[in-house]
């Protein structure tokens, strides 16, 4: 038969064992959370870097496309203006002749005047 002292000692041992298992559980959970937080932070950092790289690539490509078509529009406008000027000359319409501005003086060109 178990004495009261033995009973109390067994209860205390059991309670201490429960506390220790909770402490170990909490420690493992904390370590897991720290590890996952570090991995999440790394993933977010890599995501932001990748997004920044893609935005820069998009901006550069869009600018190249814009410049390509801008040059084509300028060429077509110049061709159109020359045809109009030739038509006016051939039909005796007196207007100021078409004058092509140097690159830096064209509105909206690099170094040119803003409208």
């Amino acid at each position: 038969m178990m004495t009261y002292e033995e009973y109390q000692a067994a209860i205390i041992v059991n309670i201490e064992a429960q506390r220790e298992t909770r402490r170990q559980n909490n420690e493992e959970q904390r370590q897991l959370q720290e590890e996952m937080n570090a991995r999440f932070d790394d993933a977010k950092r890599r995501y932001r870097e990748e997004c920044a790289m893609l935005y820069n690539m998009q901006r550069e490509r869009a600018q190249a496309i814009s410049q390509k078509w801008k040059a084509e529009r300028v060429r077509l406008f110049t061709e159109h203006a020359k045809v109009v000027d030739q038509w006016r000359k051939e039909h005796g319409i007196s207007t100021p002749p078409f004058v092509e501005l140097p690159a830096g003086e064209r509105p909206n060109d690099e170094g040119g005047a803003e409208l």
Side-chain angles (χ1 to χ4, degrees):
M1 188 171 209
M2 186 185 298
T3 65
Y4 183 73
E5 288 78 25
E6 292 171 335
Y7 165 76
Q8 284 293 335
I11 294 293
I12 290 173
V13 167
N14 186 275
I15 289 173
E16 288 301 319
Q18 288 178 26
R19 285 181 184 154
E20 182 60 22
T21 59
R22 276 195 300 270
R23 189 194 65 72
Q24 290 174 351
N25 175 59
N26 290 340
E27 179 62 21
E28 286 185 36
Q29 293 289 344
R30 185 190 61 74
Q31 288 175 352
L32 173 65
Q33 190 65 43
E34 286 178 1
E35 177 188 340
M36 295 311 293
N37 285 343
R39 292 178 72 182
F40 287 141
D41 290 344
D42 185 52
K44 285 188 276 187
R45 179 191 52 77
R46 285 183 284 120
Y47 170 76
R48 286 190 298 267
E49 288 173 356
E50 181 77 13
C51 284
M53 182 197 65
L54 290 173
Y55 284 133
N56 288 337
M57 183 188 309
Q58 178 188 17
R59 188 173 29 256
E60 289 169 1
R61 286 182 178 178
Q63 190 174 26
I65 291 168
S66 178
Q67 290 298 321
K68 177 180 86 172
W69 291 108
K70 181 179 179 180
E72 181 64 12
R73 285 192 310 274
V74 167
R75 186 191 68 75
L76 290 171
F77 173 78
T78 303
E79 183 180 311
H80 171 79
K82 287 178 182 177
V83 168
V84 169
D85 195 41
Q86 180 182 353
W87 172 263
R88 288 177 178 170
K89 281 182 188 173
E90 290 174 2
H91 291 86
I93 301 170
S94 63
T95 57
F98 171 73
V99 177
E100 187 172 352
L101 295 174
E105 296 178 19
R106 292 184 194 138
N108 298 324
D109 266 3
E110 201 171 304
E114 291 292 323
L115 292 178

